[in-house]
Amino acid sequence: METAMHPNADNLLASRFDTVIYDLDGTLIDSARDMCVAVSRVLADHGLPPITDQDARIFMGQGSKITMGKAFAKNGRTLDDIALSAATREFVRYYEADPVSNTVAFDGVAEVVARFSRLGLRQGVCTNKFERPARIILEHLKLMPPITDVAGADTFPVRKPDPRHILMLLERMGGTPERAVMIGDSIHDAEAAHRAGIPAILVSWGYTARPARELGADDVIDRFDALPDALNRLAAR
């Protein structure tokens, strides 16, 4: 349910920020089950047992190749770069064939994204997932629009935690670091944002082995509908 707020609070938020950049997996969406299914299909092809949804949550965040490397390593298998690249391509084929069956937006996401749209804020996604499945998911969940742009792992020559991943997306959207904020769930989101000169708010329920409150963010929220209040706290500083 959307938090009731005084119009002055929204005015403060919109005077400080004009662009909100979100991470995707673990921040806006719970995609662990669909990721787990696709990873486990690749493992089965290699004669290995499946991973769990919780494994998927911990292995995700740095891109598909690192996810696959961790999944094989859990089974005591180390792949060289050529084999790992091939396994990653297998994963992408499986995942892109069905990235949405078990994937949902977290509670409050649709309402907050709609509210920010009404305030005239630009909204984009910066994710280490490939751009095509990210767009498919956002459109399927009716989050795009109001989210208008996506930078995936394959969109630019860099990816998080490289700050240029965020900065290049911002530039393409017509935003500036001075009036932007990053919303994520991991150390890679916080590091990329801070290196880009942008404040970072992390969610406490995300896909990270370390608790969000230990990752140096400017604020941490426990519910997505707490995001407007968190942005107002930042705006008031």
Side-chain angles (χ1 to χ4, degrees):
M1 189 169 153
E2 195 171 324
T3 311
M5 282 184 57
H6 196 278
N8 286 345
D10 275 351
N11 291 342
L12 175 65
L13 189 164
S15 70
R16 168 65 181 84
F17 300 107
D18 66 12
T19 309
V20 183
I21 303 293
Y22 305 100
D23 172 55
L24 186 58
D25 301 279
T27 300
L28 295 181
I29 63 167
D30 188 358
S31 53
R33 176 92 287 259
D34 283 321
M35 291 284 290
C36 177
V37 168
V39 170
S40 295
R41 288 184 73 179
V42 177
L43 293 174
D45 290 344
H46 290 259
L48 297 172
I51 62 167
T52 66
D53 288 9
Q54 187 55 30
D55 290 332
R57 290 185 177 93
I58 293 169
F59 295 168
M60 288 160 65
Q62 292 175 270
S64 304
K65 194 170 181 179
I66 290 177
T67 299
M68 291 310 305
K70 290 178 177 178
F72 276 91
K74 186 199 177 192
N75 288 292
R77 187 85 62 88
T78 303
L79 303 184
D80 64 27
D81 194 62
I82 292 171
L84 183 56
S85 293
T88 303
R89 287 192 295 274
E90 292 173 48
F91 160 76
V92 170
R93 278 197 299 274
Y94 282 134
Y95 186 66
E96 289 193 354
D98 184 12
V100 297
S101 282
N102 303 285
T103 292
V104 297
F106 289 112
D107 288 347
V109 167
E111 294 81 3
V112 170
V113 168
R115 175 175 171 178
F116 287 170
S117 182
R118 290 194 298 274
L119 288 176
L121 302 182
R122 299 181 188 91
Q123 298 180 85
V125 162
C126 185
T127 174
N128 283 344
K129 184 192 290 295
F130 284 177
E131 182 177 336
R132 181 173 176 271
R135 285 181 178 271
I136 290 169
I137 291 164
L138 287 165
E139 289 166 4
H140 174 77
L141 296 175
K142 297 183 169 53
L143 297 176
M144 187 174 192
I147 290 168
T148 59
D149 205 352
V150 178
D154 52 341
T155 305
F156 301 122
V158 293
R159 66 176 70 171
K160 298 178 297 185
D162 191 312
R164 291 173 294 172
H165 198 181
I166 298 173
L167 291 171
M168 293 166 89
L169 174 61
L170 263 181
E171 183 177 10
R172 191 167 78 178
M173 293 176 67
T176 62
E178 293 74 25
R179 299 202 59 205
V181 62
M182 177 75 199
I183 317 301
D185 68 336
S186 74
I187 187 69
H188 311 295
D189 297 316
E191 282 184 357
H194 288 155
R195 289 165 62 196
I198 297 170
I201 295 175
L202 296 185
V203 303
S204 65
W205 58 81
Y207 299 168
T208 173
R210 286 176 60 197
R213 285 184 167 79
E214 297 178 7
L215 303 180
D218 297 272
D219 205 343
V220 176
I221 55 173
D222 295 316
R223 301 157 46 110
F224 206 87
D225 64 8
L227 181 56
D229 287 340
L231 290 183
N232 273 294
R233 286 193 295 274
L234 282 183
R237 286 184 185 174

